[in-house]
Amino acid sequence: GLRVIRDIGPKYLVNTHALPVIGKEEVHESLELYMDSITYLIDQTLRGINKGMGPAELKDFVRLPAVLRDFPNNAENYSEFFFFPPHLYHHIFGWFDGDAASIHRLPPAEEAARIVKGFGGAEPVLKQYHEARAQGDLVWASRLAGWLLATEPNNDTYRKAQADTLREIAYRS
């Protein structure tokens, strides 16, 4: 569809996902950069898959080059770019992530309880949560808060910790 629009050579482009573009050359360039980002995403995801990467590794492997990343109409409006390579992986292969241990999993609350116990209980996990937040390691802080919350879903301290962390991640996104 994008190629058809590009080949028509419109002078105006009104987007649902980005800023409007005015001028035949500007529209052409905008469409090319947008299509290049999609092509790059698919190509590099397949490249990573061919190297044996699973969804978790693809998330960090596929990065847009600056010329595509910095183009305003390629802004991460609906999701951050890192979300798409794992999605493509699952679209191709389904739910299996390549790790045989993923086939039989514990229920999430039970797994979280065992992880918290392995850390020495809720207090050490909460301490590590606060350390991670103080260091700006929000992804790790969110995982720690998530495990605590899974063990005690009605604990207001854990709920607030997770909400605060996710809010900060959203602000930074």
Side-chain angles (χ1 to χ4, degrees):
L2 293 168
R3 286 187 189 111
V4 170
I5 294 169
R6 178 203 59 200
D7 294 346
I8 291 170
K11 188 175 178 183
Y12 304 98
L13 179 65
V14 179
N15 292 293
T16 58
H17 298 71
L19 300 170
V21 182
I22 300 171
K24 199 169 191 170
E25 290 176 20
E26 290 82 359
V27 168
H28 187 271
E29 178 186 24
S30 177
L31 290 168
E32 286 290 330
L33 288 168
Y34 185 63
M35 289 188 300
D36 285 351
S37 69
I38 295 169
T39 301
Y40 187 87
L41 164 70
I42 294 167
D43 176 72
Q44 293 303 299
T45 299
L46 293 174
R47 182 173 163 246
I49 289 170
N50 286 336
K51 289 176 168 263
M53 294 180 189
E57 294 88 4
L58 289 169
K59 184 181 116 187
D60 295 316
F61 175 73
V62 182
R63 296 283 186 217
L64 280 178
V67 67
L68 298 174
R69 184 188 65 239
D70 295 342
F71 178 60
N73 284 1
N74 284 343
E76 298 172 306
N77 293 327
Y78 289 100
S79 180
E80 293 174 86
F81 183 79
F82 72 80
F83 171 81
F84 295 104
H87 175 74
L88 285 174
Y89 179 96
H90 290 300
H91 183 74
I92 295 166
F93 295 110
W95 63 268
F96 184 59
D97 64 2
D99 181 357
S102 296
I103 296 172
H104 300 285
R105 298 195 79 124
L106 294 170
E110 185 177 340
E111 182 178 65
R114 292 182 186 195
I115 290 170
V116 168
K117 182 180 177 186
F119 272 75
E123 279 189 45
V125 175
L126 190 59
K127 181 177 186 249
Q128 286 192 37
Y129 161 81
H130 288 296
E131 290 170 359
R133 279 294 308 265
Q135 295 169 2
D137 190 355
L138 299 177
V139 173
W140 181 237
S142 177
R143 290 294 287 170
L144 292 165
W147 289 327
L148 290 169
L149 195 53
T151 64
E152 293 184 55
N154 296 318
N155 184 308
D156 288 338
T157 299
Y158 303 159
R159 291 166 64 110
K160 183 174 178 351
Q162 185 66 300
D164 290 347
T165 305
L166 294 174
R167 191 174 297 109
E168 183 64 27
I169 289 170
Y171 289 147
R172 291 184 184 188
S173 295

